[in-house]
Amino acid sequence: MEETQSSQTVSTKLERIAKLAKQKRGEVLTTLAHHIDVDWLREAFHRTRKDGAVGVDGENAEKYARNLEGNLRSLLDRAKSGTYRAPPVRRVHIPKAGGRTRPLGIPTFEDKVLQRAVVMVLEAIYEQEFLDCSYGFRPGRSAHGALTALRDATMKMGGGWIVEVDIEKFFDTIDHGLLRAAIQRRIGDGVILRLIGKWLNAGVLEAGKVSHPGTGTPQGGVISPILANIFLHEVLDVWFSTEVRPCLQGGAVLIRYADDFVIVFKQEDDARRVMAVLPKRFGKYGLTLHPEKTRLVEFKEPPPPPPSGGTGGGGQTFDLLGFTHSWGLSDWGNWVVMLKTAKDRFTRAVKTFGAWCRDHRHLPLREQAKALEQKLNGHYAYFGVAGNKRALHRLRHEIYGRWKQWLNRRSQRARVTWERMRAIHARYPLPLPPRELRYL
């Protein structure tokens, strides 16, 4: 009962902050931290993931919860008095396509709770500011929402010209001074600004050494996504909406999910003009566009198919959020934008499943099958969209191959033949893709 009342109190405060932000749009808000109390931190604790990796202090959520009220009161006192010290994040590297890796920062659990508390304040304010073109890490928005908006806009426009953009090492190269300046145009509360500054300067622990980069927000930090959204809201979204689009000859639509974005243009001239100024615009904020991955794609709707029919639209394709977008014929004979798993994401998925089978090959078959089922269903939940069934079936087939390969390594004497693998398949079948795939 007490927990419910606490959540309702926080919800009321969030509504007040949002209302204030809406009333004072464009003004600097100076009194915010007084909303953060023990009830607020308790709600932040409940909203924080409990199964994440531990930070530099080795403390997990279960241990922190044993003295939750005492820990939260201590955390509140330190945050408000300015004595809170943001610990360095523990850096790990996760694989990307092409053999590269992406650095991931892991804060301590207590740091995650405090970051979540500040995110709740910032979210209530900036949800009144952010534009509809932004979909990443926002309440009620998702990658599928971005893909649906992109598909609808492209088809309504009859296709056109796509500017596909890649920002090099975005989260590692955000300039701290420029980011602070962007935040201070809306946030003037000393406690909030001081905490954000501490997180930016907390440092990174890697290979036993702590470094203090002058740029970047570590991916993995609870607060990093909203800081990135605030930065790109100014760098890209507002600029495109207020300065670029009014000067175009034809229509144009920007779709952004965190640092991944494309712009759809009706006119080629508009696309080329904007593409020419994008490097200068991002360079002004210390960001660099990848010269090879940033490109202009002609993506016009193909002419009507001949009476004899056909299956493919041909032409160029582009990628966004793990999908390759192309023109294809619907069941009704109309050209529609089709989505299929991008090659690099498919390859990454196969490698990830293969690595899991390698690392867990000595588990009982029942446990392996259950875990693979959960992972495969998770893949279907994201990539299970209409027109992508072939890639889903192909991935399932590849998983069986990797599973067989690593089961063979369990013992030199008990080899797993394909006949034996078929028996395993019959006893522990991996799930098939859903019969009815989601229409975006």
PDB file of all heavy atoms in Angstrom, residues 23 96-97 104 106 124 137 164 174 178 217 245 256 278-279 287 293 298 312 320 344 352 385 396 409 416:
ATOM      1  N   GLN A  23       4.413  24.897 -20.028  1.00  0.00           N
ATOM      2  CA  GLN A  23       4.042  26.305 -19.851  1.00  0.00           C
ATOM      3  C   GLN A  23       5.230  27.233 -20.109  1.00  0.00           C
ATOM      4  O   GLN A  23       5.063  28.333 -20.638  1.00  0.00           O
ATOM      5  CB  GLN A  23       3.507  26.532 -18.430  1.00  0.00           C
ATOM      6  CG  GLN A  23       2.150  25.899 -18.159  1.00  0.00           C
ATOM      7  CD  GLN A  23       1.752  26.014 -16.698  1.00  0.00           C
ATOM      8  OE1 GLN A  23       2.590  26.280 -15.826  1.00  0.00           O
ATOM      9  NE2 GLN A  23       0.475  25.792 -16.417  1.00  0.00           N
ATOM     10  N   LYS A  96      30.845  -6.328 -32.916  1.00  0.00           N
ATOM     11  CA  LYS A  96      30.034  -5.729 -33.971  1.00  0.00           C
ATOM     12  C   LYS A  96      30.362  -6.421 -35.280  1.00  0.00           C
ATOM     13  O   LYS A  96      31.236  -7.281 -35.353  1.00  0.00           O
ATOM     14  CB  LYS A  96      30.338  -4.231 -34.092  1.00  0.00           C
ATOM     15  CG  LYS A  96      29.801  -3.371 -32.970  1.00  0.00           C
ATOM     16  CD  LYS A  96      30.092  -1.914 -33.211  1.00  0.00           C
ATOM     17  CE  LYS A  96      29.362  -1.369 -34.418  1.00  0.00           C
ATOM     18  NZ  LYS A  96      29.570   0.073 -34.614  1.00  0.00           N
ATOM     19  N   ALA A  97      29.645  -6.024 -36.338  1.00  0.00           N
ATOM     20  CA  ALA A  97      29.908  -6.589 -37.650  1.00  0.00           C
ATOM     21  C   ALA A  97      31.314  -6.216 -38.108  1.00  0.00           C
ATOM     22  O   ALA A  97      31.856  -5.173 -37.731  1.00  0.00           O
ATOM     23  CB  ALA A  97      28.870  -6.089 -38.659  1.00  0.00           C
ATOM     24  N   LEU A 104      31.134  -0.754 -24.090  1.00  0.00           N
ATOM     25  CA  LEU A 104      29.931  -0.649 -23.276  1.00  0.00           C
ATOM     26  C   LEU A 104      30.342  -0.323 -21.849  1.00  0.00           C
ATOM     27  O   LEU A 104      31.167  -1.021 -21.259  1.00  0.00           O
ATOM     28  CB  LEU A 104      29.145  -1.954 -23.316  1.00  0.00           C
ATOM     29  CG  LEU A 104      27.782  -1.971 -22.620  1.00  0.00           C
ATOM     30  CD1 LEU A 104      26.792  -1.098 -23.375  1.00  0.00           C
ATOM     31  CD2 LEU A 104      27.256  -3.394 -22.525  1.00  0.00           C
ATOM     32  N   ILE A 106      29.567   0.031 -17.857  1.00  0.00           N
ATOM     33  CA  ILE A 106      28.682  -0.555 -16.849  1.00  0.00           C
ATOM     34  C   ILE A 106      28.847   0.216 -15.537  1.00  0.00           C
ATOM     35  O   ILE A 106      29.865   0.076 -14.843  1.00  0.00           O
ATOM     36  CB  ILE A 106      29.005  -2.044 -16.620  1.00  0.00           C
ATOM     37  CG1 ILE A 106      28.897  -2.809 -17.941  1.00  0.00           C
ATOM     38  CG2 ILE A 106      28.064  -2.645 -15.584  1.00  0.00           C
ATOM     39  CD1 ILE A 106      29.347  -4.239 -17.863  1.00  0.00           C
ATOM     40  N   ALA A 124      10.563  14.073 -18.191  1.00  0.00           N
ATOM     41  CA  ALA A 124       9.323  14.845 -18.033  1.00  0.00           C
ATOM     42  C   ALA A 124       9.428  16.198 -18.726  1.00  0.00           C
ATOM     43  O   ALA A 124       8.441  16.713 -19.267  1.00  0.00           O
ATOM     44  CB  ALA A 124       9.014  15.031 -16.549  1.00  0.00           C
ATOM     45  N   PHE A 137      14.613   5.476 -27.407  1.00  0.00           N
ATOM     46  CA  PHE A 137      14.688   5.618 -25.955  1.00  0.00           C
ATOM     47  C   PHE A 137      13.747   6.696 -25.433  1.00  0.00           C
ATOM     48  O   PHE A 137      14.115   7.528 -24.607  1.00  0.00           O
ATOM     49  CB  PHE A 137      16.129   5.908 -25.518  1.00  0.00           C
ATOM     50  CG  PHE A 137      17.113   4.891 -26.021  1.00  0.00           C
ATOM     51  CD1 PHE A 137      17.936   5.183 -27.097  1.00  0.00           C
ATOM     52  CD2 PHE A 137      17.184   3.632 -25.445  1.00  0.00           C
ATOM     53  CE1 PHE A 137      18.835   4.237 -27.579  1.00  0.00           C
ATOM     54  CE2 PHE A 137      18.075   2.689 -25.923  1.00  0.00           C
ATOM     55  CZ  PHE A 137      18.907   2.992 -26.989  1.00  0.00           C
ATOM     56  N   GLU A 164      21.284   8.222 -46.345  1.00  0.00           N
ATOM     57  CA  GLU A 164      21.574   7.261 -45.283  1.00  0.00           C
ATOM     58  C   GLU A 164      22.850   7.723 -44.572  1.00  0.00           C
ATOM     59  O   GLU A 164      23.889   7.895 -45.209  1.00  0.00           O
ATOM     60  CB  GLU A 164      21.781   5.874 -45.897  1.00  0.00           C
ATOM     61  CG  GLU A 164      21.990   4.757 -44.910  1.00  0.00           C
ATOM     62  CD  GLU A 164      22.211   3.407 -45.607  1.00  0.00           C
ATOM     63  OE1 GLU A 164      22.229   3.372 -46.857  1.00  0.00           O
ATOM     64  OE2 GLU A 164      22.370   2.418 -44.896  1.00  0.00           O
ATOM     65  N   ILE A 174      30.940  12.709 -28.339  1.00  0.00           N
ATOM     66  CA  ILE A 174      30.130  13.857 -27.935  1.00  0.00           C
ATOM     67  C   ILE A 174      30.996  14.799 -27.095  1.00  0.00           C
ATOM     68  O   ILE A 174      31.572  14.402 -26.083  1.00  0.00           O
ATOM     69  CB  ILE A 174      28.900  13.417 -27.120  1.00  0.00           C
ATOM     70  CG1 ILE A 174      27.979  12.543 -27.971  1.00  0.00           C
ATOM     71  CG2 ILE A 174      28.132  14.637 -26.604  1.00  0.00           C
ATOM     72  CD1 ILE A 174      26.783  12.007 -27.205  1.00  0.00           C
ATOM     73  N   LEU A 178      29.996  21.204 -25.319  1.00  0.00           N
ATOM     74  CA  LEU A 178      28.832  21.487 -26.165  1.00  0.00           C
ATOM     75  C   LEU A 178      27.575  20.814 -25.625  1.00  0.00           C
ATOM     76  O   LEU A 178      26.469  21.366 -25.708  1.00  0.00           O
ATOM     77  CB  LEU A 178      29.119  21.028 -27.594  1.00  0.00           C
ATOM     78  CG  LEU A 178      30.224  21.795 -28.330  1.00  0.00           C
ATOM     79  CD1 LEU A 178      30.529  21.149 -29.675  1.00  0.00           C
ATOM     80  CD2 LEU A 178      29.815  23.254 -28.532  1.00  0.00           C
ATOM     81  N   THR A 217      29.806   9.847 -23.924  1.00  0.00           N
ATOM     82  CA  THR A 217      29.013   9.325 -22.813  1.00  0.00           C
ATOM     83  C   THR A 217      29.013   7.816 -22.978  1.00  0.00           C
ATOM     84  O   THR A 217      28.586   7.316 -24.026  1.00  0.00           O
ATOM     85  CB  THR A 217      27.556   9.849 -22.860  1.00  0.00           C
ATOM     86  OG1 THR A 217      26.934   9.419 -24.072  1.00  0.00           O
ATOM     87  CG2 THR A 217      27.529  11.356 -22.788  1.00  0.00           C
ATOM     88  N   ARG A 245      14.015  22.157 -43.813  1.00  0.00           N
ATOM     89  CA  ARG A 245      12.792  21.782 -44.525  1.00  0.00           C
ATOM     90  C   ARG A 245      12.058  22.960 -45.154  1.00  0.00           C
ATOM     91  O   ARG A 245      11.545  22.835 -46.276  1.00  0.00           O
ATOM     92  CB  ARG A 245      11.861  20.989 -43.594  1.00  0.00           C
ATOM     93  CG  ARG A 245      10.723  20.302 -44.336  1.00  0.00           C
ATOM     94  CD  ARG A 245      10.145  19.144 -43.555  1.00  0.00           C
ATOM     95  NE  ARG A 245       9.846  19.518 -42.174  1.00  0.00           N
ATOM     96  CZ  ARG A 245       9.627  18.636 -41.207  1.00  0.00           C
ATOM     97  NH1 ARG A 245       9.705  17.343 -41.459  1.00  0.00           N
ATOM     98  NH2 ARG A 245       9.342  19.044 -39.992  1.00  0.00           N
ATOM     99  N   ARG A 256      14.658   9.419 -37.002  1.00  0.00           N
ATOM    100  CA  ARG A 256      15.866   9.186 -36.202  1.00  0.00           C
ATOM    101  C   ARG A 256      15.564   8.278 -35.021  1.00  0.00           C
ATOM    102  O   ARG A 256      14.564   8.449 -34.325  1.00  0.00           O
ATOM    103  CB  ARG A 256      16.422  10.520 -35.675  1.00  0.00           C
ATOM    104  CG  ARG A 256      17.694  10.352 -34.847  1.00  0.00           C
ATOM    105  CD  ARG A 256      18.286  11.682 -34.429  1.00  0.00           C
ATOM    106  NE  ARG A 256      17.471  12.405 -33.465  1.00  0.00           N
ATOM    107  CZ  ARG A 256      17.458  12.158 -32.146  1.00  0.00           C
ATOM    108  NH1 ARG A 256      18.189  11.171 -31.654  1.00  0.00           N
ATOM    109  NH2 ARG A 256      16.696  12.871 -31.345  1.00  0.00           N
ATOM    110  N   LEU A 278      25.513  18.468 -44.516  1.00  0.00           N
ATOM    111  CA  LEU A 278      25.472  17.657 -43.295  1.00  0.00           C
ATOM    112  C   LEU A 278      26.840  17.540 -42.617  1.00  0.00           C
ATOM    113  O   LEU A 278      26.931  17.700 -41.388  1.00  0.00           O
ATOM    114  CB  LEU A 278      24.909  16.260 -43.591  1.00  0.00           C
ATOM    115  CG  LEU A 278      23.382  16.131 -43.631  1.00  0.00           C
ATOM    116  CD1 LEU A 278      22.986  14.733 -44.066  1.00  0.00           C
ATOM    117  CD2 LEU A 278      22.768  16.460 -42.270  1.00  0.00           C
ATOM    118  N   PRO A 279      27.934  17.243 -43.360  1.00  0.00           N
ATOM    119  CA  PRO A 279      29.237  17.151 -42.672  1.00  0.00           C
ATOM    120  C   PRO A 279      29.622  18.443 -41.959  1.00  0.00           C
ATOM    121  O   PRO A 279      30.203  18.404 -40.864  1.00  0.00           O
ATOM    122  CB  PRO A 279      30.208  16.827 -43.819  1.00  0.00           C
ATOM    123  CG  PRO A 279      29.363  16.191 -44.872  1.00  0.00           C
ATOM    124  CD  PRO A 279      28.046  16.889 -44.785  1.00  0.00           C
ATOM    125  N   LEU A 287      31.327  16.329 -34.398  1.00  0.00           N
ATOM    126  CA  LEU A 287      30.964  14.997 -34.868  1.00  0.00           C
ATOM    127  C   LEU A 287      31.395  14.810 -36.318  1.00  0.00           C
ATOM    128  O   LEU A 287      31.433  15.766 -37.095  1.00  0.00           O
ATOM    129  CB  LEU A 287      29.453  14.773 -34.742  1.00  0.00           C
ATOM    130  CG  LEU A 287      28.876  14.903 -33.320  1.00  0.00           C
ATOM    131  CD1 LEU A 287      27.355  14.845 -33.366  1.00  0.00           C
ATOM    132  CD2 LEU A 287      29.421  13.805 -32.411  1.00  0.00           C
ATOM    133  N   LYS A 293      29.974   5.147 -45.364  1.00  0.00           N
ATOM    134  CA  LYS A 293      28.657   4.663 -44.956  1.00  0.00           C
ATOM    135  C   LYS A 293      27.575   5.730 -45.072  1.00  0.00           C
ATOM    136  O   LYS A 293      26.384   5.409 -44.965  1.00  0.00           O
ATOM    137  CB  LYS A 293      28.715   4.125 -43.529  1.00  0.00           C
ATOM    138  CG  LYS A 293      29.605   2.906 -43.385  1.00  0.00           C
ATOM    139  CD  LYS A 293      29.581   2.389 -41.959  1.00  0.00           C
ATOM    140  CE  LYS A 293      30.464   1.164 -41.801  1.00  0.00           C
ATOM    141  NZ  LYS A 293      30.451   0.655 -40.411  1.00  0.00           N
ATOM    142  N   GLU A 298      19.079   6.298 -54.552  1.00  0.00           N
ATOM    143  CA  GLU A 298      17.852   6.500 -55.332  1.00  0.00           C
ATOM    144  C   GLU A 298      16.890   5.377 -54.979  1.00  0.00           C
ATOM    145  O   GLU A 298      17.190   4.197 -55.172  1.00  0.00           O
ATOM    146  CB  GLU A 298      18.151   6.486 -56.826  1.00  0.00           C
ATOM    147  CG  GLU A 298      16.919   6.780 -57.677  1.00  0.00           C
ATOM    148  CD  GLU A 298      17.216   6.804 -59.169  1.00  0.00           C
ATOM    149  OE1 GLU A 298      18.365   6.503 -59.547  1.00  0.00           O
ATOM    150  OE2 GLU A 298      16.294   7.134 -59.940  1.00  0.00           O
ATOM    151  N   GLY A 312      10.273  -8.951 -58.007  1.00  0.00           N
ATOM    152  CA  GLY A 312      11.215  -8.037 -57.367  1.00  0.00           C
ATOM    153  C   GLY A 312      11.178  -6.662 -57.980  1.00  0.00           C
ATOM    154  O   GLY A 312      10.862  -6.492 -59.154  1.00  0.00           O
ATOM    155  N   LEU A 320      18.420   0.382 -42.165  1.00  0.00           N
ATOM    156  CA  LEU A 320      18.139   1.128 -40.944  1.00  0.00           C
ATOM    157  C   LEU A 320      17.650   0.165 -39.885  1.00  0.00           C
ATOM    158  O   LEU A 320      16.786  -0.688 -40.158  1.00  0.00           O
ATOM    159  CB  LEU A 320      17.089   2.227 -41.170  1.00  0.00           C
ATOM    160  CG  LEU A 320      16.790   3.100 -39.934  1.00  0.00           C
ATOM    161  CD1 LEU A 320      17.997   3.984 -39.601  1.00  0.00           C
ATOM    162  CD2 LEU A 320      15.550   3.965 -40.134  1.00  0.00           C
ATOM    163  N   ASP A 344      24.568  -7.783 -42.324  1.00  0.00           N
ATOM    164  CA  ASP A 344      25.476  -7.721 -41.170  1.00  0.00           C
ATOM    165  C   ASP A 344      24.781  -8.156 -39.890  1.00  0.00           C
ATOM    166  O   ASP A 344      25.394  -8.818 -39.039  1.00  0.00           O
ATOM    167  CB  ASP A 344      26.062  -6.315 -41.020  1.00  0.00           C
ATOM    168  CG  ASP A 344      25.023  -5.247 -40.771  1.00  0.00           C
ATOM    169  OD1 ASP A 344      23.841  -5.462 -41.129  1.00  0.00           O
ATOM    170  OD2 ASP A 344      25.369  -4.180 -40.236  1.00  0.00           O
ATOM    171  N   THR A 352      26.543 -14.921 -32.823  1.00  0.00           N
ATOM    172  CA  THR A 352      26.139 -14.856 -31.416  1.00  0.00           C
ATOM    173  C   THR A 352      25.576 -16.193 -30.951  1.00  0.00           C
ATOM    174  O   THR A 352      25.926 -16.695 -29.872  1.00  0.00           O
ATOM    175  CB  THR A 352      25.097 -13.750 -31.209  1.00  0.00           C
ATOM    176  OG1 THR A 352      25.662 -12.494 -31.592  1.00  0.00           O
ATOM    177  CG2 THR A 352      24.644 -13.678 -29.759  1.00  0.00           C
ATOM    178  N   VAL A 385       8.765  -9.598 -39.104  1.00  0.00           N
ATOM    179  CA  VAL A 385       7.881  -8.683 -39.825  1.00  0.00           C
ATOM    180  C   VAL A 385       7.531  -9.288 -41.176  1.00  0.00           C
ATOM    181  O   VAL A 385       8.263 -10.131 -41.718  1.00  0.00           O
ATOM    182  CB  VAL A 385       8.538  -7.298 -40.010  1.00  0.00           C
ATOM    183  CG1 VAL A 385       8.914  -6.693 -38.659  1.00  0.00           C
ATOM    184  CG2 VAL A 385       9.770  -7.377 -40.902  1.00  0.00           C
ATOM    185  N   ARG A 396      17.171 -20.125 -38.304  1.00  0.00           N
ATOM    186  CA  ARG A 396      16.884 -21.347 -37.541  1.00  0.00           C
ATOM    187  C   ARG A 396      17.722 -22.511 -38.058  1.00  0.00           C
ATOM    188  O   ARG A 396      18.275 -23.301 -37.279  1.00  0.00           O
ATOM    189  CB  ARG A 396      15.388 -21.652 -37.631  1.00  0.00           C
ATOM    190  CG  ARG A 396      14.927 -22.868 -36.840  1.00  0.00           C
ATOM    191  CD  ARG A 396      13.416 -22.962 -36.882  1.00  0.00           C
ATOM    192  NE  ARG A 396      12.896 -24.120 -36.175  1.00  0.00           N
ATOM    193  CZ  ARG A 396      12.677 -25.307 -36.736  1.00  0.00           C
ATOM    194  NH1 ARG A 396      12.946 -25.487 -38.041  1.00  0.00           N
ATOM    195  NH2 ARG A 396      12.200 -26.320 -36.018  1.00  0.00           N
ATOM    196  N   ARG A 409      31.939 -31.264 -30.287  1.00  0.00           N
ATOM    197  CA  ARG A 409      33.172 -30.976 -29.542  1.00  0.00           C
ATOM    198  C   ARG A 409      33.079 -31.408 -28.076  1.00  0.00           C
ATOM    199  O   ARG A 409      34.072 -31.273 -27.350  1.00  0.00           O
ATOM    200  CB  ARG A 409      33.474 -29.473 -29.596  1.00  0.00           C
ATOM    201  CG  ARG A 409      33.591 -28.882 -30.989  1.00  0.00           C
ATOM    202  CD  ARG A 409      34.856 -29.301 -31.685  1.00  0.00           C
ATOM    203  NE  ARG A 409      34.999 -28.662 -32.984  1.00  0.00           N
ATOM    204  CZ  ARG A 409      35.636 -27.521 -33.197  1.00  0.00           C
ATOM    205  NH1 ARG A 409      36.199 -26.892 -32.175  1.00  0.00           N
ATOM    206  NH2 ARG A 409      35.718 -27.006 -34.404  1.00  0.00           N
ATOM    207  N   VAL A 416      28.294 -36.497 -33.074  1.00  0.00           N
ATOM    208  CA  VAL A 416      26.900 -36.156 -33.388  1.00  0.00           C
ATOM    209  C   VAL A 416      26.745 -36.108 -34.903  1.00  0.00           C
ATOM    210  O   VAL A 416      27.168 -35.145 -35.553  1.00  0.00           O
ATOM    211  CB  VAL A 416      26.506 -34.809 -32.752  1.00  0.00           C
ATOM    212  CG1 VAL A 416      25.064 -34.449 -33.123  1.00  0.00           C
ATOM    213  CG2 VAL A 416      26.655 -34.854 -31.240  1.00  0.00           C
TER     214      VAL A 416
END
